[in-house]
Amino acid sequence: DLSIKSGSRCKNWAQFPKDVEAAIGGVIQDTAIVCGGINMNLYESFDECYSLNSKPATLITHMSVTRKYAASLVIDKTKLWITGGVYLASSEYITLEGIEPGPELPTMLDSHALVAIDNTLSMLIGGRLTENVATKTTHYFDHQSHNWIQGPDLMQARWQHAAGIVTDQVTNEKLVIVTGGFNNNPGITLDSTEMLINNQWNQGKIAHYYSMDLCKGGWYEN
């Protein structure tokens, strides 16, 4: 809901045209854009990008390739930067007019996180190199010089994690926070968080710990 910060209630938007998970998206020029993903029942990946509002979803463009478990970030409020995906090291920019090629990633990567440090610097965090092989690696990307810069390794390799910027209410310092995800043990989720302080990752608060029990058919808390 694009108006939730103004106190409005969530609106009933139109149905998405596909059954999909692991898609990416963002808001550019006040328009919500959703791209790619996979239908796990059909095991079919998609390259379409749709604009969304209260009206039926509208196809605006196709990505250069199908992408699932990629990451995305809005750049300059005008374009959506989409990075990686399963067996992909490419990236591209999505605008309301079409697509533009983006920089190659340092390696093939999916299920990673992407955050904006400031207006010119972004950070690519962790992810999955190959099936069930997580990485601790992080990279900065300078949008002015178009260069990748090696960042500090995470304390814990992780994929399908979440990351964001949190502002300290006392110091007004902006901190990169990473939470959860999977490590290299299938079905085991992480309960840890990490904070980036002075370009070094520090252990954050431990959250609840969950595991997948295939025999029980669901998640349970340790």
Side-chain angles (χ1 to χ4, degrees), residues 103-116:
E104 284 288 305
L105 306 187
T107 184
M108 290 192 304
L109 199 63
D110 69 83
S111 306
H112 51 290
L114 195 62
V115 297

Side-chain angles (χ1 to χ4, degrees), residues 71-83:
S72 62
L73 185 66
V74 175
I75 305 295
D76 296 330
K77 300 182 180 180
T78 61
K79 52 188 176 183
L80 184 67
W81 185 30
I82 298 178
T83 60

Side-chain angles (χ1 to χ4, degrees), residues 65-194:
V65 293
T66 62
R67 295 184 189 270
K68 54 183 182 289
Y69 298 102
S72 62
L73 185 66
V74 175
I75 305 295
D76 296 330
K77 300 182 180 180
T78 61
K79 52 188 176 183
L80 184 67
W81 185 30
I82 298 178
T83 60
V86 176
Y87 303 126
L88 292 172
S90 62
S91 77
E92 54 193 302
Y93 298 106
I94 307 299
T95 70
L96 296 182
E97 290 73 39
I99 65 170
E100 303 171 11
E104 284 288 305
L105 306 187
T107 184
M108 290 192 304
L109 199 63
D110 69 83
S111 306
H112 51 290
L114 195 62
V115 297
I117 303 298
D118 54 35
N119 292 332
T120 61
L121 195 67
S122 300
M123 190 176 199
L124 186 151
I125 304 171
R128 184 172 59 174
L129 301 172
T130 57
E131 186 174 357
N132 299 325
V133 177
T135 180
K136 297 181 179 180
T137 302
T138 71
H139 288 86
Y140 294 102
F141 183 73
D142 188 322
H143 293 274
Q144 292 182 328
S145 66
H146 298 281
N147 289 327
W148 289 101
I149 306 163
Q150 182 81 41
D153 282 355
L154 293 165
M155 301 175 69
Q156 167 70 62
R158 58 183 79 219
W159 56 282
Q160 282 197 15
H161 48 291
I165 305 291
V166 175
T167 302
D168 189 301
Q169 295 182 351
V170 176
T171 65
N172 288 324
E173 182 182 7
K174 292 185 177 181
L175 304 173
V176 180
I177 309 292
V178 173
T179 65
F182 292 92
N183 60 13
N184 290 323
N185 296 317
I188 304 298
T189 53
L190 298 170
D191 60 356
S192 61
T193 64
E194 301 184 36

